[in-house]
Amino acid sequence: SSAAMAASRGRALLPPLAPLWARPRPGPRAPLRAAATAPAQPLYDVVVSGGGMVGSAMAAALGHDIHFHDKKIALLEAGPRKEYDHMPDSYSNRVSSISPGSATLLSSFGAWDHVCSLRLKPFRRMQVWDACSEAMIIFEKNDLDDMGYIVENDVIMSALTKQLDAVADRVEVFYRSRAVGYTWPLPSHSCDTSPWVQIELADGRRLQTKLLIGADGHNSVVRKKAEIKNIEHQYDQSAVVATLHLSEATDNNVAWQRFLPTGPIALLPLSDTASSLVWSTSHEHASELLAMDEESFVDSINSAFWSNINHSDFIDTAGAMFRSAISLLKPSGTAVRQLPPSVAKVDPESRAMFPLGMGHATEYVQHRVALIGDAAHRVHPLAGQGVNLGFGDIACLTHHLSAAAFNGSDLGSLKHLLKFETERQRHNVSLIAATDLLKRLYSTRLAPLVLLRTWGLQATNALPPVKVRI
Amino acid sequence: QLSLFRLTAKRPFSTSHSSVDSEEIKKFQLLAHKWWDEEGEYSALHSMNDIRVPFIRDILLSMSHNYNLGNPLSGVKILDIGCGGGLLSEPLARLGASVTGIDPLEDNIRTADRHKSFDPVLAKRIQYKSSSLEGIVEESMETFDVIVASEVVEHVADLETFIKCCSQVLKPEGSLFITTINKTQLSYVLGIVVAEKIMGIVPEGTHEWEKFVPPEELEHLLESNGFSVKTVKGMLYNPLWGSWSWMESTSLNYAVHAVKCGAQGHSGSTDAPSETDFQQRSATAGTAG
């Protein structure tokens, strides 16, 4: 696999350990020490930089791992500690779609139980369709399992904080602590310098660690200071979020997404009467949506979901023809279209917007450094994958670190870090590329491309193997 | 480089006084720094940890009553003979063991001491000493729970004396782990010609084929000096991937686990071992006695 990795970087096939050499050494070097005196700064086995959902879950996962029982872990969070004892009655406007795989990770260290005892909304079905045609795709699991869960980010953070408290003897959380500088060690064979990563905090405190995990978001400082190249692209889009109340109570166990030419609009169920809005659109339109009065806002949403203004006769006819062709070949290949709920009002104060972009780090690891979550990869919300990719990173990295700890290995060694990188890049790159491609494909009204995606969507809807993979 | 290992082979295990001249010291100094370069001369020993540490750990776990996965070797006193720069001592100490590492070459000990000093947990759990095995026998009678002699017996002058000394410092029912190289035509071709002269996996002159030890001979010596051989397993190095794996055949490298017979057991018995096949024998939960 290391040979495959080297080849994939466009380099000639090198002897197996050459990729370790091929990584450029990052940033400032560890200071020379005259003698090996006991270090004054506290030494941790793992430091996680960034206390968001992904960083906190990483620290909690390691803290609950049996092979880390005698290890020291630190979590650095720039913000203050938030108390989540009391969930407000109104829903927060930042929600995530949690996949069953992510739910499994969270339950592996006891956090999912807390989420379930707070609040979440399982959904059974996803309906995705085009604004420019009748094409539609429905995702549904044949068994009675849930496809996924819509959970407020605050609920997830509350559960994670509880599970971090449970292992406070192993995991030390530093609130209001921003890392401002990192010093990287030379590879281990030089005996004169400290082999650990040195971290300097804003208040002057210093820490040392055998492994630094960067979970500090898409503008990751860890990634920048480690001089890891990042491929990034700002979309001309912002996402508008809001908490909506439906016209009438319904089972509300379907996630809806419609691709408008300006961007996808999604309605994610929160309860029988409420749903969360994620509307990706141009910056100007997003600002308009935030500025307009509540009634107009609600009208815009309903219109976006129901209006056929973007249809053209040509496309409709072509689409209908294709659909009949499919139903000849595969009678069950066209599904029943359900109608999305209509919105009655929006929670005041719940409207917000944030800019969208895409990013992918060329390397996820270096000697004594690993990136997870948005620090490693940033994706458009249209696929509802963002935080799930981060949780997938955590499951993989925890697995490799746990095995390394049980082997008595040096936790910062590239040997197992590279295994994590290979596994995750293989998984993430195709998904990120596909999401980006989808975003671009659906950003147009041009007939040929609309036809292409119409037929493509209809075909995909008819083909079970493809749908299962998605 | 040549002299480093020849010196180890020829010098009897009776003195820790180094009689090397300054030229040799310079050569050792060069090599002494290479221990911890994972991609350097000792890369094969670094990757050997991937199989020899789990081998030792799992056998000890299966024999112990305290099945603590968080700290699997806690409370275990281990002697690492020929510890070099501490490549094996450190992982064993990370798993909770108290490790004493001995090596006749002072510069190796210095490198090992230096490397462990940056980690307070390791610094506490590992003690290094520049000494031969014979040099510590008197003060360490029946002191250790486990002895590890990895890639050492092929450099030893008198193997029977070595094994006798191991027995003296090991507690009754203690474990002895050995990894070494078989003396076969294959090991000459691959272990010396290819590994040293052609591919440079091992520094040239490291090994003398004459000193390689066939597993039958090792088993016989062990069994006739108060040990019961529990496991013999073949090891294989893949130079393309730089990784080790287990294999059926012991014709190249192999690992042995033996247990010192208990106090009321048959120490010094000359019974021939009942089976001398090379197949793996699973470690029993506890030895007799």
Side-chain angles (χ1 to χ4, degrees):
Chain A
S1 69
S2 39
M5 186 182 62
S8 73
R9 286 167 206 243
R11 296 192 190 110
L13 195 65
L14 299 164
L17 298 174
L20 296 176
W21 279 121
R23 275 161 205 263
R25 301 296 166 195
R29 299 282 173 258
L32 272 167
R33 286 178 179 230
T37 50
Q41 297 109 20
L43 172 66
Y44 292 87
D45 292 287
V46 179
V47 167
V48 180
S49 184
M53 283 192 286
V54 172
S56 301
M58 183 80 228
L62 289 178
H64 285 261
D65 186 277
I66 189 164
H67 301 303
F68 272 75
H69 270 200
D70 65 340
K71 305 269 185 273
K72 284 176 64 174
I73 303 163
L75 174 63
L76 302 177
E77 165 54 33
R81 180 187 166 105
K82 291 196 200 129
E83 288 313 326
Y84 296 100
D85 293 326
H86 220 63
M87 277 293 130
D89 288 331
S90 58
Y91 288 93
S92 156
N93 60 7
R94 295 307 303 270
V95 307
S96 296
S97 168
I98 301 296
S99 67
S102 297
T104 304
L105 169 75
L106 292 173
S107 63
S108 75
F109 52 87
W112 191 244
D113 285 339
H114 293 311
V115 170
C116 294
S117 69
L118 286 167
R119 57 187 181 213
L120 80 168
K121 188 78 177 71
F123 62 94
R124 296 269 159 87
R125 217 165 174 255
M126 263 177 66
Q127 182 168 308
V128 178
W129 73 113
D130 199 336
C132 298
S133 77
E134 293 294 318
M136 171 192 71
I137 183 168
I138 294 178
F139 296 94
E140 196 162 34
K141 282 189 134 173
N142 288 333
D143 38 14
L144 293 173
D145 280 348
D146 299 319
M147 271 200 71
Y149 312 89
I150 305 297
V151 189
E152 294 155 273
N153 293 357
D154 282 343
V155 167
I156 298 175
M157 279 307 305
S158 166
L160 294 174
T161 306
K162 268 213 189 72
Q163 287 312 94
L164 282 172
D165 288 342
V167 288
D169 54 333
R170 259 162 260 150
V171 183
E172 220 176 310
V173 185
F174 291 74
Y175 290 103
R176 302 182 190 275
S177 301
R178 180 186 309 274
V180 294
Y182 298 100
T183 310
W184 312 109
L186 292 164
S188 355
H189 67 271
S190 163
C191 288
D192 296 329
T193 58
S194 166
W196 315 127
V197 177
Q198 316 285 323
I199 305 171
E200 190 184 336
L201 300 180
D203 61 7
R205 275 181 300 171
R206 291 172 159 272
L207 312 171
Q208 300 187 90
T209 182
K210 302 174 188 173
L211 172 65
L212 172 67
I213 299 180
D216 45 349
H218 65 260
N219 283 323
S220 168
V221 173
V222 173
R223 187 188 69 223
K224 289 185 185 147
K225 299 273 184 175
E227 292 176 11
I228 292 175
K229 273 222 235 348
N230 191 43
I231 301 167
E232 58 188 31
H233 177 79
Q234 302 307 320
Y235 291 129
D236 284 331
Q237 286 187 344
S238 285
V240 172
V241 294
T243 308
L244 307 172
H245 294 276
L246 307 177
S247 307
E248 49 187 41
T250 161
D251 263 342
N252 206 15
N253 53 16
V254 180
W256 309 93
Q257 177 151 283
R258 192 178 198 197
F259 282 99
L260 308 174
T262 46
I265 179 171
L267 218 54
L268 306 171
L270 289 171
S271 73
D272 287 347
T273 54
S275 287
S276 185
L277 173 79
V278 184
W279 191 346
S280 310
T281 184
S282 67
H283 298 306
E284 306 80 50
H285 187 216
S287 307
E288 279 170 31
L289 286 170
L290 248 57
M292 60 176 69
D293 61 275
E294 290 179 11
E295 237 188 83
S296 314
F297 183 67
V298 167
D299 285 342
S300 307
I301 296 171
N302 284 325
S303 159
F305 272 108
W306 291 81
S307 145
N308 282 338
I309 205 170
N310 285 300
H311 287 205
S312 78
D313 287 336
F314 169 63
I315 298 288
D316 280 351
T317 315
M321 273 171 41
F322 195 67
R323 213 167 32 248
S324 350
I326 289 184
S327 59
L328 282 176
L329 296 166
K330 201 176 187 310
S332 62
T334 58
V336 175
R337 174 192 296 274
Q338 246 187 279
L339 299 172
S342 76
V343 178
K345 69 186 194 74
V346 56
D347 252 357
E349 318 287 322
S350 75
R351 279 187 269 176
M353 69 185 255
F354 51 92
L356 298 176
M358 160 272 200
H360 192 251
T362 51
E363 292 166 343
Y364 287 5
V365 301
Q366 275 194 3
H367 180 56
R368 300 203 185 287
V369 181
L371 299 176
I372 58 173
D374 281 5
H377 41 71
R378 182 189 183 195
V379 76
H380 195 284
L382 71 85
Q385 285 310 302
V387 78
N388 294 312
L389 288 183
F391 287 143
D393 292 343
I394 294 172
C396 181
L397 184 56
T398 304
H399 166 79
H400 287 293
L401 289 180
S402 182
F406 194 41
N407 279 355
S409 303
D410 178 351
L411 289 175
S413 163
L414 261 180
K415 233 182 336 173
H416 50 264
L417 293 181
L418 282 172
K419 290 187 196 161
F420 154 74
E421 180 190 75
T422 306
E423 264 182 60
R424 289 312 290 171
Q425 282 197 333
R426 221 180 263 152
H427 175 274
N428 293 343
V429 168
S430 46
L431 196 144
I432 293 167
T435 306
D436 188 66
L437 183 63
L438 271 181
K439 186 245 166 235
R440 292 171 198 279
L441 184 62
Y442 275 93
S443 299
T444 175
R445 281 193 189 80
L446 294 176
L449 287 170
V450 173
L451 207 56
L452 176 73
R453 73 194 190 212
T454 299
W455 287 345
L457 202 58
Q458 286 172 325
T460 309
N461 193 33
L463 297 171
V466 179
K467 278 173 68 170
V468 165
R469 279 212 70 196
I470 296 176
Chain B
Q1 205 176 345
L2 224 61
S3 334
L4 170 71
F5 294 94
R6 289 255 164 85
L7 207 67
T8 317
K10 293 204 163 99
R11 196 171 38 189
F13 277 76
S14 57
T15 170
S16 56
H17 170 66
S18 170
S19 57
V20 292
D21 65 38
S22 54
E23 285 306 309
E24 302 283 27
I25 287 178
K26 280 202 204 101
K27 268 191 236 163
F28 300 156
Q29 191 69 31
L30 213 60
L31 257 190
H33 268 156
K34 296 290 187 180
W35 282 107
W36 287 101
D37 181 356
E38 285 186 33
E39 298 127 36
E41 273 91 335
Y42 293 118
S43 64
L45 283 181
H46 275 278
S47 52
M48 198 193 280
N49 277 347
D50 292 342
I51 62 168
R52 60 183 171 173
V53 173
F55 178 66
I56 297 168
R57 171 198 78 204
D58 291 342
I59 286 178
L60 292 178
L61 269 177
S62 71
M63 286 168 54
S64 93
H65 306 291
N66 169 35
Y67 205 78
N68 176 5
L69 284 180
N71 221 343
L73 301 184
S74 118
V76 179
K77 290 187 70 173
I78 302 185
L79 174 67
D80 183 5
I81 305 179
C83 62
L87 264 59
L88 183 51
S89 301
E90 289 201 4
L92 293 175
R94 280 197 198 97
L95 293 180
S98 302
V99 181
T100 301
I102 62 171
D103 197 277
L105 284 144
E106 276 181 36
D107 283 303
N108 286 347
I109 296 297
R110 210 171 296 150
T111 299
D113 264 327
R114 185 116 210 184
H115 195 265
K116 75 159 191 182
S117 69
F118 291 104
D119 184 340
V121 167
L122 289 184
K124 216 171 45 147
R125 289 187 188 159
I126 309 178
Q127 304 306 319
Y128 289 116
K129 209 170 155 174
S130 170
S131 171
S132 62
L133 175 57
E134 282 182 10
I136 63 157
V137 163
E138 270 186 44
E139 72 210 29
S140 319
M141 297 294 287
E142 299 205 342
T143 302
F144 298 101
D145 300 300
V146 175
I147 294 181
V148 170
S150 180
E151 305 304 297
V152 162
V153 300
E154 69 266 25
H155 297 290
V156 157
D158 181 348
L159 188 51
E160 181 145 29
T161 307
F162 180 83
I163 291 175
K164 281 186 163 56
C165 290
C166 284
S167 180
Q168 286 177 295
V169 301
L170 197 55
K171 289 182 190 163
E173 291 169 46
S175 281
L176 171 62
F177 293 94
I178 293 175
T179 75
T180 187
I181 310 177
N182 196 349
K183 189 176 179 183
T184 59
Q185 286 191 325
L186 195 59
S187 73
Y188 181 75
V189 172
L190 292 183
I192 307 258
V193 177
V194 175
E196 287 188 19
K197 301 194 197 308
I198 297 180
M199 291 194 70
I201 297 169
V202 178
E204 191 164 346
T206 300
H207 290 129
E208 290 176 44
W209 186 79
E210 283 304 316
K211 299 201 106 53
F212 285 175
V213 184
E216 316 88 84
E217 187 187 320
L218 184 59
E219 274 188 80
H220 174 72
L221 280 175
L222 286 168
E223 299 263 342
S224 48
N225 281 285
F227 283 94
S228 167
V229 175
K230 300 290 182 190
T231 305
V232 181
K233 267 171 103 158
M235 295 160 59
L236 179 66
Y237 182 64
N238 182 333
L240 271 186
W241 302 121
S243 65
W244 288 88
S245 55
W246 296 111
M247 71 166 173
E248 271 301 308
S249 158
T250 52
S251 49
L252 286 168
N253 297 71
Y254 64 96
V256 172
H257 169 234
V259 172
K260 174 177 171 180
C261 300
Q264 66 268 43
H266 347 278
S267 75
S269 154
T270 48
D271 288 313
S274 51
E275 15 176 5
T276 48
D277 59 330
F278 304 142
Q279 300 206 300
Q280 175 190 338
R281 283 169 278 187
S282 51
T284 50
T287 54

